[in-house]
């Protein structure tokens, strides 16, 4: 029990010192994941599949708790598969079904965390497959930014959200990429809010007004009106994504990006995902998880500690309590041009982790006896052979190809694992054949 208070003191000392050293970078980084949050949250709230006020209040509270407990910019973002299914389903995905889907996933992840299945999964899933999931998620973000946000834009119309604004945001992103302290996300978030407010005023819609959050209890609907189970099928589509990208991949990415901060265990992250969805969804909040894409986005724009998402959580909590549902028109007018460039940058940051596959990956570090007088154990980096490098790249790219081709993390995972096992089987057959040849060569020498 004494270790937990010590851990929290150490983590929050890191939060405070990091925020004092670079407050603008932490604030800017906290806004890095808006490209994932805003489009899905707005779409679900507009069609009545979630309550915007409850989503802001609970996700803000979870941001604050996550920042205090883990001390890293671990995001709280929508469950994409559930959100996509609900948006495409329209009237067939009411709020009761979305709530039930989030609770199905939460219950499944809780069982996997408690029973140790998540720890077992980490031990058997090879690093090239994990890297492939991260690379696939990053490239998926880039493709999504291009197809759904940037490609539909016109060059000059409308005045407040067009290709010129996207080009301006992109040029600013490229120009400031070697200026880590430049608060890119914060600067363009303020600009986007100003443009959104102008758009709301000129379209004769109403600006956000004072509206105290009034929580409403939502009873989940496990069975559909026609005897089907839409919530269960939405959960089935979400569970592989949550397990692979929001738990396994995000812990691996945290270790890569923030080696100086204790990396949360998969059991801890899984329990966090489960508890978030088994509590907040009863009040109509959007099903949420932790994701590698959000962590990469927040890191890309300057976040280095839990202080960033604590700040974000406070802002979301206040907005949800004070304005609630009246924010929909303003958020709906948020410029897609700026949002698309932020998603693009997040995807690039996540995809970049693939470069460490054959140099610096966790499975390439080995323990060895220290040669110093003090003795002990030291860690050395193993350089893989050219053949092993090619094999690892093949497994990673096979995983990524499955994700991109079928837009499904589970299929990409299965493709990567099959590729990995095929290499292992080939090695086993070659080794067995060599041993047989050695025995055959020795047989005449041993005969009388």
């Amino acid at each position: 029990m004494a270790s937990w208070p010590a851990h929290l003191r150490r983590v929050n000392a890191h939060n405070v010192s990091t925020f004092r050293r670079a407050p603008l970078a932490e604030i800017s980084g906290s806004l890095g994941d808006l490209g994932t949050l805003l489009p899905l949250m707005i779409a679900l709230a507009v069609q009545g599949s979630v309550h915007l006020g409850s989503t802001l209040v609970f996700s803000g509270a979870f941001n604050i708790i996550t920042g205090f407990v883990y001390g890293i910019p671990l995001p709280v973002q929508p469950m994409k598969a559930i959100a996509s299914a609900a948006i495409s389903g329209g009237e067939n995905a009411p709020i009761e079904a979305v709530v039930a889907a989030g609770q199905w996933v939460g219950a499944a992840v809780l069982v996997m965390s408690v029973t140790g299945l998540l720890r077992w999964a980490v031990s058997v899933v090879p690093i090239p497959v994990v890297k492939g999931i991260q690379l696939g998620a990053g490239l998926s973000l880039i493709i999504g930014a291009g197809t759904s946000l940037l490609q539909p834009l016109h060059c000059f119309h409308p005045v407040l959200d067009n290709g010129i604004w996207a080009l301006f945001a992109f040029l600013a992103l490229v120009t400031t990429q070697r200026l880590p302290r430049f608060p890119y996300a914060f600067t363009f978030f303020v600009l986007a809010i100003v443009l959104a407010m102008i758009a709301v005023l000129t379209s004769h819609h109403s600006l956000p007004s004072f509206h105290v959050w009034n929580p409403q209890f939502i009873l989940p609907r496990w069975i559909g009106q026609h005897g089907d189970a839409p919530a269960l099928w939405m959960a089935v589509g979400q569970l592989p994504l949550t397990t692979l990208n929001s738990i396994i991949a995000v812990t691996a990415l945290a270790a890569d990006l923030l080696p100086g901060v204790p990396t949360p265990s998969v059991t801890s992250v899984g329990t966090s995902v489960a508890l978030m969805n088994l509590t907040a969804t009863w009040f109509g909040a959007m099903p949420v998880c932790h994701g590698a894409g959000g962590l990469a986005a927040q890191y890309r724009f300057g976040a280095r500690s839990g202080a960033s998402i604590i700040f974000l959580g406070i802002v979301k909590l206040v907005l949800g309590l004070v304005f609630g549902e009246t924010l929909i028109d303003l958020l709906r007018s948020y410029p897609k041009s700026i949002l698309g460039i932020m998603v693009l940058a997040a995807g690039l940051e996540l995809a970049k982790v693939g470069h460490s596959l054959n140099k610096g990956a966790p499975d390439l570090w080995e323990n060895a006896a220290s040669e110093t007088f003090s003795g002990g154990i030291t860690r050395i980096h193993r350089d893989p052979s050219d053949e092993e490098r090619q094999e690892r790249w093949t497994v990673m790219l096979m995983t990524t190809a499955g994700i991109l081709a079928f837009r499904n993390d589970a299929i990409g995972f299965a493709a990567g694992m099959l590729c990995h096992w095929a290499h292992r089987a080939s090695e086993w057959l070659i080794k067995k054949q060599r041993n047989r040849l050695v025995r055959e060569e020795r047989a005449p020498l041993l005969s009388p």
Side-chain angles (χ1 to χ4, degrees):
M1 294 296 292
S3 61
W4 260 106
H7 168 77
L8 292 177
R9 284 195 298 270
R10 183 169 63 253
V11 162
N12 288 288
H14 169 69
N15 288 341
V16 173
S17 63
T18 305
F19 191 82
R20 285 179 175 174
R21 185 170 59 251
L24 283 180
E26 291 293 297
I27 293 173
S28 180
S30 71
L31 305 172
D33 194 33
L34 292 181
T36 302
L37 174 68
L38 288 182
L40 297 178
M41 182 178 69
I42 295 168
L44 291 172
V46 167
Q47 74 176 29
S49 293
V50 300
H51 289 161
L52 180 61
S54 295
T55 297
L56 289 171
V57 169
F58 281 103
S59 65
F62 295 145
N63 276 132
I64 295 170
I65 295 170
T66 300
F68 273 117
V69 172
Y70 296 121
I72 61 174
L74 193 64
V76 175
Q77 56 183 197
M79 287 190 172
K80 299 181 186 66
I82 290 179
S84 299
I87 293 169
S88 60
E91 295 180 356
N92 295 322
I95 187 171
E96 295 84 1
V98 174
V99 164
Q103 293 178 3
W104 273 121
V105 176
V109 171
L110 182 62
V111 170
M112 295 173 68
S113 301
V114 172
T115 58
L117 283 176
L118 286 176
R119 291 195 303 273
W120 174 81
V122 171
S123 67
V124 299
V125 177
I127 291 297
V129 173
V130 175
K131 294 282 187 183
I133 294 170
Q134 294 171 335
L135 177 59
L139 295 178
S140 296
L141 284 175
I142 294 170
I143 294 171
T147 55
S148 63
L149 293 174
L150 298 176
Q151 190 174 333
L153 293 175
H154 298 284
C155 286
F156 304 104
H157 180 78
V159 176
L160 300 175
D161 187 17
N162 53 47
I164 298 299
W165 284 110
L167 178 62
F168 172 63
F170 177 74
L171 292 176
L173 177 70
V174 174
T175 304
T176 60
Q177 62 181 341
R178 292 190 176 274
L179 302 174
R181 291 185 177 274
F182 179 77
Y184 176 91
F186 177 72
T187 301
F188 277 84
F189 174 75
V190 172
L191 174 62
I193 289 296
V194 171
L195 294 176
M197 293 180 69
I198 295 173
V200 169
L201 290 173
T202 55
S203 63
H204 305 292
H205 289 132
S206 59
L207 288 173
S209 58
F210 184 75
H211 180 81
V212 177
W213 177 55
N214 181 26
Q216 299 178 13
F217 184 80
I218 303 297
L219 189 65
R221 181 184 298 172
W222 310 104
I223 304 298
Q225 295 178 347
H226 306 289
D228 54 354
L232 179 60
W233 289 114
M234 283 192 283
V236 169
Q238 177 65 47
L239 187 58
L241 182 61
T242 295
T243 305
L244 299 172
N245 184 53
S246 301
I247 300 176
I248 295 177
V250 79
T251 54
L253 183 64
D256 286 341
L257 297 180
L258 301 161
V261 185
T263 303
S265 67
V266 291
T267 300
S268 175
V269 174
T271 304
S272 173
V273 171
L275 293 179
M276 287 192 298
N277 291 284
L278 291 175
T279 54
T281 51
W282 291 100
F283 299 92
M286 178 175 59
V288 293
C289 60
H290 305 300
L295 175 58
Q298 290 169 167
Y299 182 89
R300 167 62 181 84
F301 292 113
R304 297 295 183 271
S305 75
S308 61
I309 56 171
I310 291 173
F311 171 82
L312 175 63
I314 293 173
V315 172
K316 288 162 68 175
L317 189 62
V318 171
L319 289 176
L321 290 173
V322 176
F323 296 108
E325 312 298 322
T326 66
L327 286 165
I328 288 181
D329 284 338
L330 179 64
L331 295 179
R332 189 189 292 166
S333 300
Y334 196 96
K336 291 182 174 61
S337 51
I338 295 176
L339 198 60
I341 298 301
M342 292 180 69
V343 176
L344 179 71
L348 288 172
E349 188 66 32
L350 182 55
K352 282 196 310 185
V353 302
H355 84 281
S356 64
L357 175 66
N358 290 321
K359 187 174 183 180
D363 60 337
L364 295 179
W365 289 95
E366 298 177 340
N367 292 333
S370 176
E371 297 180 357
T372 63
F373 291 106
S374 60
I377 301 295
T378 185
R379 300 187 73 208
I380 60 173
H381 185 270
R382 176 176 65 84
D383 289 325
S385 63
D386 290 340
E387 183 180 358
E388 185 182 359
R389 288 173 183 270
Q390 183 176 358
E391 174 191 318
R392 290 165 66 87
W393 271 106
T394 302
V395 172
M396 182 182 75
L397 294 178
M398 183 65 73
T399 306
T400 301
I403 292 173
L404 296 181
F406 295 93
R407 297 185 179 182
N408 189 306
D409 281 39
I411 294 178
F413 170 75
M417 291 300 295
L418 287 173
C419 185
H420 171 76
W421 288 332
H423 283 295
R424 299 286 76 78
S426 178
E427 285 182 2
W428 179 78
L429 290 173
I430 292 173
K431 185 177 181 181
K432 186 176 181 180
Q433 186 177 11
R434 285 176 179 172
N435 291 337
R436 181 176 60 81
L437 292 174
V438 169
R439 286 197 302 269
E440 290 177 353
E441 290 175 356
R442 290 180 179 177
L445 299 176
L446 296 175
S447 61

